[in-house]
Amino acid sequence: MSDPKPAPLDRGMFLVEVEDWRTGETFQTLSISRTPAMLLSFAANRFTEAASDYFAERLGLGTVDWRMLLLLARLPGITAAQASKTIGVDKGTVSRSASRLTRRNLITAGELHANGRSRSLYLTSAGREMHDRILEIAVNQHLELLRGFTPEEARLMADLLRRFTRNLETVLEQGRPPR
């Protein structure tokens, strides 16, 4: 027996009435505390800023740099274009990161692909050592961020975020703003 189809969402669940302090007029806007996309965006921004400061101060790495090292450990041989799509930043940003990481001997590029433009990227042994340092920090950080969550809640949160991301990809592919 399959799971029942969830009830449709009501747009009103994301709205709140506010008053214009100058005119006294009331109008609707998004609720900051009940809109998952806003909460996710705010949390992601704060997390990225804090992680960026931490890794920059301690390891001399920018946000995309440490994400690239983690990504290349998981997906060795990925191209800059593929990495760009996976981590959600433009290809130019990924290419600049790849150049910085190459200069630091943390990654290396393979031969040119048949298209004559892209190369597979790989961790060097120094890159693997840096990855291992980042991994230890990241795992401890995740444990702290999910303090008070049960293992099932952590798995559920990951599942919900994967579903949210799939829906986002569909919206982006359709080239239209969400309904």
Side-chain angles (χ1 to χ4, degrees):
M1 186 167 162
S2 65
D3 291 333
K5 186 173 180 174
L9 298 176
D10 172 27
R11 52 184 273 116
M13 68 185 287
F14 305 121
L15 300 174
V16 64
E17 293 280 330
V18 294
E19 183 177 329
D20 184 320
W21 63 273
R22 292 168 299 174
T23 66
E25 174 189 11
T26 61
F27 60 97
Q28 290 184 324
T29 191
L30 286 174
S31 167
I32 294 172
S33 64
R34 292 191 320 257
T35 307
M38 290 183 74
L39 291 167
L40 178 62
S41 178
F42 294 164
N45 289 343
R46 292 192 65 185
F47 171 79
T48 299
E49 182 179 359
S52 177
D53 291 347
Y54 184 92
F55 287 119
E57 291 171 11
R58 288 164 182 81
L59 304 175
L61 296 172
T63 302
V64 177
D65 299 338
W66 57 264
R67 288 177 178 171
M68 284 292 292
L69 293 174
L70 293 170
L71 183 64
L72 290 175
R74 182 66 181 92
L75 301 170
I78 195 170
T79 65
Q82 293 165 329
S84 168
K85 184 168 174 39
T86 302
I87 62 178
V89 296
D90 66 89
K91 187 174 173 271
T93 300
V94 169
S95 294
R96 287 187 294 279
S97 173
S99 293
R100 281 190 304 275
L101 295 170
T102 300
R103 282 194 303 274
R104 288 186 61 181
N105 193 37
L106 297 174
I107 68 169
T108 188
E111 298 297 317
L112 274 176
H113 286 197
N115 66 14
R117 297 183 323 216
S118 61
R119 297 176 187 268
S120 298
L121 302 172
Y122 302 90
L123 291 177
T124 62
S125 54
R128 173 64 191 276
E129 289 175 22
M130 182 67 79
H131 163 270
D132 292 350
R133 290 176 65 190
I134 295 167
L135 180 63
E136 182 65 23
I137 295 164
V139 169
N140 289 333
Q141 188 176 59
H142 282 82
L143 290 171
E144 185 63 25
L145 288 168
L146 296 172
R147 187 172 13 108
F149 286 63
T150 66
E152 182 54 36
E153 288 171 328
R155 284 189 287 275
L156 176 60
M157 183 176 184
D159 179 58
L160 294 171
L161 290 169
R162 280 190 299 273
R163 289 167 43 198
F164 182 92
T165 302
R166 278 194 307 269
N167 289 346
L168 175 60
E169 289 303 319
T170 300
V171 168
L172 294 174
E173 287 169 9
Q174 294 172 349
R176 62 172 175 75
R179 291 186 252 167

